[in-house]
């Protein structure tokens, strides 16, 4: 089966093959592909050091990455992003953006 409507393919297929200009680039189990394309919440904050300390100490969040001086991605406890945001604000960390990324095929 081939197609360009990826959300339909994702619902039907167990294995995915990626092609470019007629050549198979990669063939992967859909579950493995989902592990690679993880969902996350990205916060843009004024004080990265304080934000990271708060995540680890108050929320026991350790599955995150720091993108740059102001952006970090959290891969766990995404459902607690409201609480995390409130804690940042209470700790005088300015939050300029919050984005939720839910990866699909």
């Amino acid at each position: 089966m081939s197609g360009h409507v990826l959300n339909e393919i994702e619902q039907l297929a167990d294995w995915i093959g990626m092609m470019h200009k007629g050549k198979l680039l990669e063939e992967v189990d859909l579950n493995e592909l989902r592990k690679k394309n993880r969902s996350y919440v990205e916060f843009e904050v004024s004080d990265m050091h304080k934000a990271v300390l708060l995540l680890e100490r108050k929320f026991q969040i350790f599955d995150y990455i720091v993108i740059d001086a102001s952006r970090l991605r959290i891969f766990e406890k995404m459902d607690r992003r409201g609480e995390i945001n409130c804690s940042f604000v209470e700790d005088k960390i300015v939050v300029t953006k919050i984005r939720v990324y839910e990866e699909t095929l």
Side-chain angles (χ1 to χ4, degrees), residues 36 38-45 48 51-52 55 61-68 70-78 84 88 97-101 103:
K36 285 177 160 179
R38 298 171 65 194
S39 298
Y40 58 89
V41 177
E42 186 171 288
F43 282 90
E44 193 167 303
V45 296
M48 185 60 66
V52 165
L55 286 178
I61 293 176
F62 300 97
D63 192 5
Y64 66 86
I65 58 171
V66 175
I67 303 300
D68 56 34
S70 64
R71 292 182 306 142
L72 72 127
R73 291 181 183 165
I74 302 170
F75 297 98
E76 63 178 314
K77 301 181 184 177
M78 291 176 50
I84 294 167
F88 283 161
K97 287 184 186 171
I98 303 173
R99 295 183 192 105
V100 178
Y101 293 91
E103 299 292 339

Side-chain angles (χ1 to χ4, degrees), residues 6-14 16 18 28-39 75 102-105:
L6 298 180
N7 61 343
E8 289 179 6
I9 291 174
E10 184 176 21
Q11 293 174 9
L12 298 171
D14 294 326
I16 304 293
M18 269 63 92
V28 65
D29 178 278
L30 186 57
N31 291 325
E32 288 301 313
L33 186 61
R34 285 184 177 135
K35 287 178 188 176
K36 285 177 160 179
N37 296 332
R38 298 171 65 194
S39 298
F75 297 98
E102 297 184 302
E103 299 292 339
T104 62
L105 186 61

